[in-house]
């Protein structure tokens, strides 16, 4: 990369005079190291930086890919990756050609202009001023100063906003002195010096330095897609134009596919889904009760087949395909019985073991588990009272359980079991 002194001349912001230009020429004034790459400074630029809640532009400057654009005072930094590709980089003093990613720019213009319109609609219809806004690549949000809003409120604000779009009102950008701007409907305090005002004719005027459409009609459909309470405001999520088109397409496709799957009409899908959710909840409750009853039978059978080692009942069993959570529950229930050790395993794609004992049994389940895991290429851990682990060789589960029983037998023979 070329070297250059830190640029002190403010960057001329071409996007403020014409947001529709896509290519430009400029002079390189500096290169600056920045994060993992380099920042290119120009005397003028079409690239909009990260500011005002709007995403930055991306694009190219000669062969350099511009991935991020930020402000540093009055200077704009164009961040390019240090790819090591060997491509010659422009030097300080060179005239370069830049090009913005136009589809991204136009989507940002739609979202930003749409945000102005929607914010004013909330103010007029619901007396809910916008406290802050965030424009995104996939969706945008405004935080409005009113709580307890409903779908009906959202629809009212949305209808007013879209009426402005359908009327295709002009969007005019002009500068004004602060004293002249004080009488306008500005939604935030005006800075010192000249003020850049964005006006949606006959509807909204606001100070703003972003990029905007020439007319409200270019914004396309303004669509609220969700909202939530955030502290003392309501955060409204919305999309405009191209993003609204994409959002509507996938949602409509999903709804139509569901309707076809249910062999019902599109408008009946919400009721059908609610009925299915309720039926599913009932089935889950019934299944839970059935599993509980089955577990009682399984536990009784396991206890009936248990062996007794020096006064301790040892329940050792391999259960096909049982989930670890079910193994834990069964082992815990067995361990609540006096003078009992539970050595339970499941066989599936992997081997899994859960070992537990009654408090009065003197045996370390971690050592017992280690004896089993050694045969199934596994690992695990736990406490002296209960241990759990798994291995990748389920074919040796029976051998592993036999090793665990042998370890228990040795432990109980070697120690005194309280009476």
């Amino acid at each position: 990369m070329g070297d250059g002194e830190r640029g002190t001349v403010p960057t001329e912001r071409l996007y403020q005079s014409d947001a529709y230009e896509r290519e430009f020429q400029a002079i390189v004034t500096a290169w600056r190291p920045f994060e993992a790459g380099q920042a290119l400074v120009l005397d003028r630029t079409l690239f909009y930086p990260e500011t005002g809640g709007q995403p930055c532009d991306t694009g190219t400057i000669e062969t350099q890919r511009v991935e991020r654009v930020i402000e540093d005072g009055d200077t704009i930094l164009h961040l390019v990756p240090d790819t090591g590709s060997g491509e010659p980089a422009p030097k300080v003093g060179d005239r370069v050609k830049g090009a913005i990613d136009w589809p991204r720019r136009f989507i940002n213009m739609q979202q930003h202009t749409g945000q102005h319109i929607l914010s004013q609609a909330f103010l007029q219809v619901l007396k809910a001023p916008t406290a802050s806004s965030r424009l995104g690549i996939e969706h945008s949000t405004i935080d409005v100063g009113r709580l307890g809003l409903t779908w009906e409120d959202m629809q009212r604000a949305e209808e007013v906003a879209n009426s402005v779009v359908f009327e295709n009102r002009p969007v005019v950008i002009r500068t004004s002195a602060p004293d002249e701007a004080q009488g306008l409907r500005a939604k935030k305090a005006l800075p010192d010096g000249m003020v850049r005002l964005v006006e949606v004719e006959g509807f909204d005027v606001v100070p703003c330095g972003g990029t905007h459409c020439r007319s409200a009609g270019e914004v396309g459909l303004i669509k609220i897609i969700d909202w939530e309470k955030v502290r003392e405001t309501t955060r409204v999520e919305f999309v405009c134009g191209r993003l609204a088109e994409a959002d509507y397409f996938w949602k409509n496709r999903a709804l139509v596919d569901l309707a076809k799957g249910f062999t019902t009409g599109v408008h009946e899908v919400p009721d059908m889904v609610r009925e299915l959710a309720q039926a599913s909840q009932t089935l889950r409750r019934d299944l839970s009760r059935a599993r509980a009853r089955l577990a009682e039978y399984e536990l009784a059978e396991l206890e009936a087949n248990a062996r007794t080692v020096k006064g301790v009942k040892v329940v050792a069993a391999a259960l096909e395909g049982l989930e670890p959570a079910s193994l834990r529950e069964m082992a815990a229930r067995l361990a609540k019985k006096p003078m009992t050790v539970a050595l339970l395993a499941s066989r599936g794609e992997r081997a899994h073991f859960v070992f537990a004992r009654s408090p009065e049994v003197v045996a370390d389940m971690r050592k017992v588990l280690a004896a089993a895991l050694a045969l199934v290429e596994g690992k695990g851990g736990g406490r002296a009272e209960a241990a759990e682990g798994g291995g990748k060789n389920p074919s040796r589960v029976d051998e592993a359980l036999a090793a665990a029983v042998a370890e228990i037998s040795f432990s109980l023979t070697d120690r005194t079991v309280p009476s």
Side-chain angles (χ1 to χ4, degrees):
M1 296 290 181
D3 296 324
E5 295 299 323
R6 182 180 179 88
T8 57
V9 178
T11 306
E12 182 184 354
R13 303 178 186 227
L14 301 175
Y15 57 82
Q16 289 193 337
S17 56
D18 189 352
Y20 287 79
E21 285 293 330
R22 308 182 189 191
E23 297 182 351
F24 68 102
Q25 292 188 348
I27 303 296
V28 177
T29 60
W31 279 100
R32 298 188 198 169
F34 192 92
E35 295 179 353
Q38 294 281 324
L40 181 59
V41 183
L42 307 175
D43 65 336
R44 60 207 299 263
T45 186
L46 276 177
F47 284 86
Y48 184 85
E50 297 173 1
T51 184
Q54 178 177 326
C56 69
D57 286 319
T58 59
T60 57
I61 297 175
E62 295 296 335
T63 60
Q64 305 291 322
R65 176 69 189 170
V66 179
E67 297 184 340
R68 189 178 167 203
V69 186
I70 62 173
E71 281 186 316
D72 182 11
D74 292 333
T75 302
I76 293 179
L77 306 182
H78 307 78
L79 276 55
V80 295
D82 190 0
T83 60
S85 62
E87 290 283 349
K91 299 183 291 295
V92 173
D94 284 354
R95 179 175 293 276
V96 294
K97 179 180 178 180
I100 62 169
D101 180 342
W102 171 249
R104 177 184 170 106
R105 158 68 69 82
F106 188 66
I107 286 174
N108 287 342
M109 290 163 59
Q110 287 182 314
Q111 309 319 299
H112 204 155
T113 312
Q115 179 264 307
H116 287 208
I117 296 171
L118 187 60
S119 288
Q120 184 61 221
F122 269 95
L123 185 62
Q124 290 189 12
V125 174
L126 300 168
K127 293 183 173 51
T130 295
S132 63
S133 64
R134 284 160 294 278
L135 306 178
I137 300 303
E138 296 182 352
H139 60 82
S140 301
T141 62
I142 55 174
D143 292 353
V144 298
R146 182 169 168 180
L147 300 177
L149 297 177
T150 66
W151 272 118
E152 288 71 26
D153 294 326
M154 297 297 161
Q155 185 178 24
R156 289 170 59 203
E158 192 179 272
E159 285 176 348
V160 169
N162 280 311
S163 69
V164 173
V165 171
F166 300 152
E167 290 166 7
N168 195 25
R169 300 195 186 196
V171 177
V172 180
I173 299 174
R174 66 181 187 274
T175 56
S176 175
D179 56 347
E180 296 173 358
Q182 288 293 340
L184 300 175
R185 295 192 311 276
K187 293 193 277 288
K188 61 182 178 181
L190 301 175
D192 295 335
M194 297 298 288
V195 179
R196 185 175 187 264
L197 296 173
V198 179
E199 178 180 4
V200 181
E201 189 176 84
F203 185 71
D204 179 60
V205 182
V206 61
C208 187
T211 57
H212 302 83
C213 300
R214 292 190 183 113
S215 65
E218 289 187 352
V219 172
L221 179 69
I222 299 174
K223 188 62 189 170
I224 295 171
I225 56 179
D226 201 2
W227 78 94
E228 63 178 338
K229 180 182 181 296
V230 177
R231 293 179 291 277
E232 297 307 312
T233 65
T234 298
R235 178 162 296 169
V236 180
E237 184 179 342
F238 69 96
V239 284
C240 303
R242 293 294 189 190
L243 296 186
E245 177 186 348
D247 182 78
Y248 180 78
F249 178 82
W250 81 259
K251 286 179 179 174
N252 184 67
R253 178 176 179 175
L255 193 60
V256 170
D257 286 347
L258 283 171
K260 289 179 178 178
F262 292 144
T263 61
T264 188
V266 168
H267 294 291
E268 282 73 47
V269 168
D271 289 337
M272 182 73 72
V273 170
R274 279 190 287 269
E275 289 175 9
L276 288 173
Q278 186 174 0
S280 176
Q281 188 176 12
T282 301
L283 287 173
R284 283 197 298 269
R285 284 197 300 265
D286 292 344
L287 180 59
S288 178
R289 294 190 191 103
R291 282 177 172 168
R293 289 195 296 269
L294 179 60
E296 293 293 339
Y297 289 117
E298 289 176 335
L299 286 172
E301 184 177 358
L302 289 174
E303 285 190 86
N305 295 324
R307 70 187 71 183
T308 300
V309 179
K310 199 174 181 182
V312 175
K313 186 181 292 184
V314 179
V315 181
L319 306 168
E320 299 295 334
L322 207 62
E323 293 294 325
S326 299
L327 278 184
R328 280 184 223 111
E329 183 180 354
M330 294 179 72
R333 292 182 65 177
L334 287 167
K336 288 179 181 178
K337 298 179 181 295
M339 299 298 291
T340 301
V341 171
L343 307 175
L344 302 184
S346 65
R347 257 190 300 251
E349 293 183 4
R350 292 174 56 85
H352 199 87
F353 302 90
V354 178
F355 296 169
R357 64 165 172 80
S358 304
E360 66 273 13
V361 175
V362 180
D364 191 334
M365 293 295 102
R366 293 169 295 190
K367 291 183 178 179
V368 179
L369 179 66
L373 293 178
L375 296 172
V376 295
E377 303 176 65
K379 59 183 179 180
R383 298 171 290 108
E385 299 83 6
E388 180 176 348
K392 58 184 179 180
N393 191 353
S395 64
R396 301 192 69 184
V397 165
D398 291 334
E399 295 177 63
L401 282 177
V405 172
E407 179 64 29
I408 279 288
S409 299
F410 174 78
S411 299
L412 295 178
T413 301
D414 190 51
R415 294 168 182 258
T416 300
V417 180
S419 57

